[in-house]
């Protein structure tokens, strides 16, 4: 399941977001709700979400400050901003920090869920690439271990022969 953290200083907006998301069909689960930026940073550290949904203007620290710090903690964190502010400067700054998308309030269920679906696909793609890299590294380590073992066996056994019978 993809872990989602919601951060907005308006409690009713957090509840609305939770109600609008089609959790099961998106294979997502809520891991926390924060009502200010500082609380959200603590939850990012503790819960290590895969997706962060946040407002831009919140007490404690702004959504932009939250995004900056969250990306330092979890570089591949997917971020969705939901805001009532359509200011280009906010969106521009958010994109510099690697925000995946920006939705304006009032929130539309179809727009929210389709955006989260795209973000989930991107997250899964990133995970798949990371999994393949880990697998390749493990395979490389296994090959190196086998080489070392073979060399040690050859050095220990002066009569070591490599023929079909010695290959397991």
């Amino acid at each position: 399941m993809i872990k989602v953290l919601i951060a907005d200083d308006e409690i009713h907006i957090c509840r609305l977001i939770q109600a609008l998301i089609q959790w099961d069909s998106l294979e997502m689960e809520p891991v926390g709700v924060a009502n200010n930026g500082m609380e959200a940073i603590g939850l990012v550290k503790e819960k290590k979400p895969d997706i962060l949904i946040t407002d831009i203007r919140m007490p404690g620290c702004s959504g932009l400050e939250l995004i900056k710090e969250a990306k330092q903690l979890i570089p591949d964190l997917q971020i969705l901003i939901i805001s009532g502010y359509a200011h280009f400067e906010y969106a521009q700054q958010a994109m510099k920090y690697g925000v995946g998308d920006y939705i304006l309030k009032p929130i539309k269920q179809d727009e929210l869920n389709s955006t989260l679906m795209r973000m989930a696909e991107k997250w899964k793609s990133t995970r798949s690439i990371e999994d393949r890299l880990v697998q390749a590294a493990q395979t490389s380590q296994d090959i190196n271990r086998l080489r070392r073992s073979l060399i040690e066996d050859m050095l220990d056994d002066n009569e070591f022969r490599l023929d079909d019978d010695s290959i397991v």
Side-chain angles (χ1 to χ4, degrees), residues 42-111:
L43 286 172
V44 166
K45 289 177 183 176
E46 178 187 341
K47 302 292 185 176
K48 302 196 180 350
D50 304 307
I51 295 177
L52 169 64
I53 301 173
T54 185
D55 191 2
I56 291 232
R57 299 185 76 181
M58 293 184 293
C61 77
S62 74
L64 291 175
E65 293 167 329
L66 164 61
I67 291 163
K68 183 178 178 182
E69 186 153 341
K71 285 296 255 183
Q72 288 174 347
L73 294 167
I74 307 172
D76 62 342
L77 179 66
Q78 298 292 306
I79 299 173
L80 170 61
I81 292 177
I82 298 179
S83 181
Y85 298 93
H87 299 295
F88 177 71
E89 299 82 31
Y90 285 141
Q92 187 178 33
Q93 190 65 34
M95 294 305 161
K96 285 182 184 177
Y97 293 138
V99 170
D101 218 320
Y102 193 107
I103 296 177
L104 290 174
K105 295 176 185 175
I107 304 166
K108 297 174 190 83
Q109 185 175 25
D110 290 343
E111 182 181 19

Side-chain angles (χ1 to χ4, degrees), residues 150-167:
L150 179 62
I151 290 169
E152 288 172 5
D153 287 348
M154 289 172 66
L155 292 173
D156 288 346
D157 185 2
N158 292 334
E159 296 179 29
F160 182 83
R161 288 189 342 254
L162 189 59
D163 57 26
D164 289 340
D165 295 333
S166 65
I167 298 174

Side-chain angles (χ1 to χ4, degrees), residues 1-5 23 27-31:
M1 292 291 259
I2 297 172
K3 300 181 294 185
V4 179
L5 175 64
W23 297 102
E27 299 177 358
M28 295 182 179
E29 64 178 332
V31 293

Side-chain angles (χ1 to χ4, degrees), residues 111-158:
E111 182 181 19
L112 175 61
N113 284 291
S114 64
T115 300
L116 287 172
M117 184 181 298
R118 281 192 311 274
M119 293 176 83
E121 288 169 4
K122 183 176 179 183
W123 180 84
K124 287 175 184 175
S125 171
T126 301
R127 301 294 328 134
S128 176
I129 291 168
E130 288 177 10
D131 290 346
R132 284 186 290 214
L133 289 173
V134 167
Q135 232 174 15
Q138 184 62 46
T139 300
S140 177
Q141 289 174 354
D142 290 345
I143 289 170
N144 288 334
R145 209 177 356 246
L146 286 170
R147 282 182 183 149
R148 279 192 304 273
S149 176
L150 179 62
I151 290 169
E152 288 172 5
D153 287 348
M154 289 172 66
L155 292 173
D156 288 346
D157 185 2
N158 292 334

Side-chain angles (χ1 to χ4, degrees), residues 13-27:
I13 295 293
C14 291
R15 289 184 185 142
L16 176 64
I17 292 169
Q18 285 181 296
L20 293 177
I21 295 174
Q22 297 167 341
W23 297 102
D24 291 337
S25 65
L26 293 170
E27 299 177 358

